[in-house]
Amino acid sequence: MSSGLRGPTNLFGHPTDELLADINSELSQWDSQPSQPITKISFGHFPVSFSAASESGKTLQDIFTTHSVSAYLCGHLHTKFGKNLKRYHHSKQLFQWNGHRTPSDNASNCSNIATRICEFWELEMGDWRKSRAMRILAIDNGHISFVDINFTSGAKKTIILPTFPLDSRFTSASSQNYSSYGVIRALVFSASPILSVLAKIYDSSSGNLIVVFESEMTKLSKSRGDLYVAPWNIQAFEDPSPERYLLQIVATDIMNRSTFTELRPFSINGIPAKVPWSWKEFFVMGCQWDSLYYPILWGFYGIVLSFSLIPKVLLFCSRKQYTYKEFKANKSFKNGLSWIFMELYNVPLAWLCMNVYLFYLVLCPWFYGEVFTRGEKRAYMTYRGWESEVNNSGKIEFLGSPDVMVVVLPHLFFVVLPTVVIIIALAAESGIYRDYCLSRSSKKRDDYDGRNKESASTNDRVNGTSGNILHKRWLRKFFLVVSLAIFWKHFKNCIALMKAYEMNPIVHFPVYGFAIPLLLAYTIWKTRKNLNGISRK
């Protein structure tokens, strides 16, 4: 962005309408020559999942699908989230559960260009700086193929890139008809002269790899680079499974060193193979985060505030006092929930502060820091972004939206939500302990009066274990450990923000920094004994 925001709230790419118009114009000039085969490749830093829409609502995905870009090569995510950050695009989706093309995508034609299928592959590049990753990409008769190489273990003596048949995991719907191609092709790059190149095809239908084709490849003398070819009968490998046949190229150099490619599935019918994602890969590639931020934010508030306020209204209207003793006598979801919230409302200051803090996060700035990479200008951060200067129309501009979600959502889900749960849990545990203390004191009075001694002895034996747990309050101790984990998580977040934006917690974010620890500390202190003033025995 031209504003140069500091991290971590610089997560998204922000294409302007002018930039998108320039990209569209650049790609459109090639549409005037339909008779010539044109392969379009675009380079950018941010993945589509981390590219925001422009002011008019247009996106990079709109431009690339309209012009059927063959590949969009991007970075930003490096390899920390996975090595399979590749995604096939054919329509706008908030969620895409895997990266591969499905056969049903073949019919997804552009509405305005009847002869062209709107699609493109997004191929994240990895990074050289830390992972020493490099990609070689080739265009063979309009078809894209690539190989990713890892140099962490040193230089490679030989690199092989098969260019045909295409890898069925990364084929496009527009490139599925190539049954007339009569040769296998591969590019071979080597530091030493190559003695031989061998093409092998394996059949995996039996569960084992069986060699069904093996042929020596010859160097094509007129090729640009070291292109090796081998004739084959392409119709012999027709099969409805895109993963039955696997191609491997073996190159041997003058030093008698053999280099093997990975086993690549192929389908001469153009049927796509699966590209499954891990959960981390889906998280960063399969979710359109700029569209999901506000639904997630308001969904969180709708659930938490409804869970906190609606029971308060219902219990106030019913005027019935729910207790743990009544819940034990008549166990039901309604009675249990009513009793838990009744215990929470018995710590009124904690409940009030919890709700006030939730409203504060929506209505007020979170902190005040140095937001720009250059200069010392400070700005307020809210859930909508960094408050910038008022524009000509008198409206406050917010920078870094939805980039601020990297601060907002983790704080809500990993600090605020666990805090709300622990406050409720501590209040409920206090009610259980109060009931235990009352029952024990009643039992002692009965024993002192000489009544129900036999019954009391039996109850002691039956409830000895649970009574010991309640007496030592092991459940409360567990909640205290969870509270410490919340303290530690919040402390780490505050330290990171202090370093990122040159802030003092007392001056620049006192409410954000201290509200959660103080609220938890107060609840822990208030529930250290039962609410009727019966001290721990």
Side-chain angles (χ1 to χ4, degrees):
M1 291 184 293
S2 59
S3 56
L5 293 180
R6 293 189 180 192
T9 54
N10 58 350
L11 183 64
F12 281 77
H14 292 264
T16 62
D17 284 312
E18 291 75 17
L19 176 62
L20 294 180
D22 290 342
I23 297 173
N24 183 67
S25 175
E26 184 73 20
L27 294 172
S28 297
Q29 65 176 309
W30 304 106
D31 296 335
S32 61
Q33 305 171 11
S35 60
Q36 299 183 14
I38 300 296
T39 301
K40 302 172 184 177
I41 299 175
S42 181
F43 296 83
H45 179 77
F46 293 92
V48 171
S49 54
F50 287 99
S51 294
S54 66
E55 289 186 5
S56 65
K58 294 181 180 179
T59 64
L60 285 173
Q61 187 178 19
D62 297 332
I63 305 298
F64 293 156
T65 51
T66 299
H67 293 282
S68 292
V69 171
S70 294
Y72 171 54
L73 307 180
C74 58
H76 190 55
L77 299 175
H78 303 268
T79 57
K80 64 174 64 176
F81 294 100
K83 298 182 179 180
N84 193 29
L85 301 179
K86 304 170 180 68
R87 177 182 176 185
Y88 175 80
H89 293 265
H90 67 95
S91 62
K92 271 192 174 182
Q93 296 175 295
L94 290 180
F95 297 100
Q96 185 170 319
W97 303 108
N98 47 62
H100 60 264
R101 174 173 67 91
T102 60
S104 61
D105 297 333
N106 296 356
S108 302
N109 291 341
C110 290
S111 58
N112 58 336
I113 307 175
T115 59
R116 186 192 303 156
I117 297 176
C118 291
E119 60 175 356
F120 72 95
W121 270 99
E122 179 183 7
L123 307 172
E124 208 270 352
M125 295 279 291
D127 66 281
W128 174 262
R129 186 180 67 176
K130 291 184 178 180
S131 303
R132 289 295 184 261
M134 189 186 79
R135 173 174 295 158
I136 298 178
L137 184 143
I139 306 172
D140 188 351
N141 288 326
H143 302 309
I144 295 291
S145 55
F146 63 92
V147 60
D148 290 332
I149 310 148
N150 188 292
F151 284 88
T152 52
S153 58
K156 308 297 179 185
K157 299 298 182 182
T158 302
I159 299 172
I160 306 171
L161 170 55
T163 64
F164 187 83
L166 302 176
D167 191 328
S168 58
R169 294 170 296 181
F170 307 113
T171 57
S172 300
S174 57
S175 63
Q176 57 182 318
N177 185 18
Y178 44 72
S179 59
S180 61
Y181 293 9
V183 292
I184 298 172
R185 295 192 287 276
L187 286 168
V188 181
F189 306 92
S190 181
S192 302
I194 295 295
L195 290 181
S196 66
V197 179
L198 193 65
K200 292 184 177 182
I201 295 178
Y202 295 86
D203 186 348
S204 63
S205 59
S206 64
N208 298 314
L209 296 179
I210 301 174
V211 178
V212 294
F213 177 86
E214 186 172 338
S215 177
E216 189 79 21
M217 303 185 74
T218 58
K219 184 177 180 180
L220 200 61
S221 59
K222 297 181 179 180
S223 66
R224 296 175 59 186
D226 294 334
L227 180 64
Y228 287 78
V229 299
W232 69 329
N233 180 13
I234 190 171
Q235 281 76 20
F237 299 98
E238 288 190 20
D239 195 86
S241 171
E243 299 175 334
R244 175 179 176 178
Y245 294 111
L246 306 170
L247 173 68
Q248 185 177 58
I249 308 296
V250 184
T252 305
D253 64 11
I254 198 170
M255 305 295 292
N256 203 32
R257 293 175 299 209
S258 295
T259 302
F260 299 79
T261 65
E262 67 168 343
L263 293 171
R264 292 192 172 200
F266 67 89
S267 170
I268 66 168
N269 302 322
I271 302 172
K274 294 182 178 180
V275 184
W277 279 329
S278 66
W279 72 268
K280 288 196 298 184
E281 291 166 341
F282 162 74
F283 186 76
V284 296
M285 292 293 287
C287 302
Q288 197 60 39
W289 285 108
D290 68 313
S291 300
L292 290 171
Y293 171 47
Y294 283 111
I296 293 174
L297 174 68
W298 298 126
F300 171 88
Y301 266 87
I303 293 173
V304 173
L305 288 178
S306 298
F307 208 61
S308 174
L309 299 177
I310 292 178
K312 177 72 171 178
V313 175
L314 296 177
L315 290 173
F316 177 79
C317 294
S318 68
R319 298 190 178 277
K320 180 180 178 181
Q321 295 296 317
Y322 291 89
T323 63
Y324 179 63
K325 184 176 181 180
E326 291 178 352
F327 170 67
K328 287 194 299 181
N330 184 15
K331 292 183 179 179
S332 67
F333 178 77
K334 177 185 175 182
N335 287 342
L337 204 60
S338 300
W339 156 68
I340 289 174
F341 278 100
M342 184 66 72
E343 296 294 347
L344 172 64
Y345 304 142
N346 286 331
V347 193
L349 186 58
W351 174 81
L352 178 62
C353 291
M354 179 180 71
N355 286 281
V356 168
Y357 183 69
L358 288 171
F359 281 103
Y360 170 86
L361 294 178
V362 172
L363 301 175
C364 302
W366 288 31
F367 39 78
Y368 182 65
E370 294 184 11
V371 58
F372 299 107
T373 54
R374 296 181 180 180
E376 298 181 353
K377 184 178 179 180
R378 289 186 175 270
Y380 291 100
M381 197 213 83
T382 71
Y383 77 94
R384 299 174 62 186
W386 293 93
E387 291 188 10
S388 182
E389 296 179 354
V390 179
N391 59 21
N392 296 331
S393 61
K395 183 180 179 181
I396 297 177
E397 292 183 342
F398 290 94
L399 300 175
S401 177
D403 306 69
V404 292
M405 67 185 294
V406 74
V407 174
V408 173
L409 295 186
H411 181 66
L412 292 179
F413 283 95
F414 300 124
V415 176
V416 177
L417 183 59
T419 298
V420 172
V421 173
I422 286 299
I423 289 173
I424 295 173
L426 286 169
E429 189 278 339
S430 179
I432 295 174
Y433 182 67
R434 181 186 65 241
D435 180 81
Y436 167 76
C437 290
L438 290 173
S439 64
R440 292 291 294 177
S441 62
S442 176
K443 185 186 300 182
K444 288 180 179 180
R445 285 195 300 269
D446 290 343
D447 292 345
Y448 181 78
D449 294 338
R451 298 189 301 269
N452 301 327
K453 289 185 179 180
E454 183 179 352
S455 176
S457 176
T458 303
N459 288 336
D460 285 344
R461 289 194 300 268
V462 173
N463 300 322
T465 303
S466 60
N468 186 52
I469 293 174
L470 288 171
H471 179 68
K472 295 186 178 180
R473 305 190 76 174
W474 291 109
L475 196 58
R476 176 181 171 82
K477 293 176 181 177
F478 170 76
F479 294 149
L480 294 181
V481 171
V482 176
S483 299
L484 288 175
I486 297 173
F487 280 134
W488 178 245
K489 173 64 178 175
H490 185 56
F491 174 75
K492 288 177 61 179
N493 291 348
C494 291
I495 292 296
L497 291 172
M498 288 170 56
K499 293 180 179 179
Y501 301 114
E502 304 292 335
M503 295 189 298
N504 183 309
I506 299 176
V507 177
H508 298 123
F509 58 101
V511 178
Y512 175 88
F514 296 104
I516 289 295
L518 291 176
L519 182 56
L520 273 175
Y522 170 78
T523 306
I524 291 171
W525 171 77
K526 193 65 176 178
T527 59
R528 74 192 188 282
K529 56 185 179 180
N530 67 82
L531 301 181
N532 283 346
I534 302 175
S535 301
R536 289 177 52 184
K537 303 295 182 182

